[in-house]
Amino acid sequence: MTTRKIKLWDLPTRLFHWLLAATVAGALISGQIGGNAMDWHGRLGLAAIGLVVFRLVWGLAGSTYARFAQFFPRPAQVQAYLQGRWQGVGHNPLGALSVLALLLLVAAQAGTGLFANDDIAFRGYLYSLAGSSLSSQLTEVHELLSDLLIGLVVLHVGAVVFHTRVKKDNLVKPMLTGWKEVEQDAPSASGGSMLALVIALLLATAAVYGASGGWLPPPPVAPTPSW
């Protein structure tokens, strides 16, 4: 069967993918190290929030195969994929479920981290809004989600390796170059205007600022004791 090359992933989607991978890896490693690395752990959490917000906007206004409407999996599609009958370009139904689960889990992980603490020196950027008791509960949730995130990342990487080695479908190369050889009559990606990109970046920046607590009043200064 003849093949043709199409534009699959736009540059913003590809940059998001690799930046999120690096951010999640860095956050997991710095969280395990602890100590001074927790400062970077917090910064990477803010970056993750910005990236997730960007992807949510880009999923509505990005190019063809980046849009949620294009790859949001329906039960019939999942069944067809499991039976070997699915044909399509971009995320397959199980891959789409993985992407959505990762976005949800990263958002929950970073969100709970904003209120968490390590009982030593680190407190999340919005700790003051939660207080000690709620912060302790959210810290437990944050640690649980960390284990779930590691498991999901391992499954995601394993699926990519399986597709590349067993099904001979290289998923990494298109995410690097943007292009893919396909055996079906599928159009190249279109859409994702500069205006949509600017709006996505502005909303992501606003989300990072809001999560950083920069808008909160400074803590009260302790009174100087008089002798």
Side-chain angles (χ1 to χ4, degrees):
M1 183 179 294
T2 59
T3 62
R4 56 190 291 265
K5 182 180 288 188
I6 66 168
K7 184 72 173 181
L8 183 61
W9 302 121
D10 56 54
L11 181 59
T13 299
R14 286 179 280 143
L15 288 175
F16 159 81
H17 179 275
W18 296 114
L19 286 173
L20 185 65
T23 298
V24 169
L28 291 173
I29 292 171
S30 58
Q32 292 298 318
I33 295 174
N36 293 333
M38 291 301 294
D39 290 336
W40 279 105
H41 185 74
R43 296 184 189 111
L44 290 168
L46 290 179
I49 288 174
L51 286 168
V52 169
V53 170
F54 172 85
R55 187 63 181 91
L56 292 176
V57 178
W58 201 242
L60 299 176
S63 65
T64 305
Y65 301 105
R67 295 187 180 186
F68 298 132
Q70 195 278 335
F71 69 82
F72 194 89
R74 295 184 291 274
Q77 292 176 319
V78 175
Q79 182 179 6
Y81 178 78
L82 293 175
Q83 295 174 347
R85 297 183 291 104
W86 181 83
Q87 291 184 335
V89 176
H91 294 303
N92 63 61
L94 288 187
L97 287 174
S98 175
V99 168
L100 295 173
L102 278 170
L103 287 175
L104 179 62
L105 195 52
V106 170
Q109 174 76 353
T112 54
L114 296 176
F115 305 94
N117 71 91
D118 65 355
D119 289 326
I120 302 175
F122 178 80
R123 290 180 175 179
Y125 294 101
L126 302 182
Y127 172 87
S128 62
L129 297 179
S132 177
S133 178
L134 180 57
S135 173
S136 296
Q137 297 175 31
L138 291 175
T139 300
E140 294 180 2
V141 175
H142 185 72
E143 293 172 352
L144 173 62
L145 292 177
S146 177
D147 294 335
L148 293 177
L149 183 57
I150 291 173
L152 188 55
V153 168
V154 170
L155 286 175
H156 186 77
V157 173
V160 171
V161 172
F162 173 78
H163 271 266
T164 302
R165 294 292 184 87
V166 178
K167 304 191 73 170
K168 306 302 180 185
D169 181 15
N170 193 329
L171 302 181
V172 177
K173 185 177 179 180
M175 195 56 74
L176 290 170
T177 67
W179 296 87
K180 184 171 184 176
E181 294 278 352
V182 297
E183 297 179 346
Q184 51 188 290
D185 186 19
S188 281
S190 61
S193 66
M194 182 58 67
L195 176 60
L197 177 61
V198 170
I199 292 174
L201 290 173
L202 288 176
L203 290 176
T205 302
V208 171
Y209 176 75
S212 71
W215 49 276
L216 293 173
V221 178
T224 305
S226 58
W227 301 98

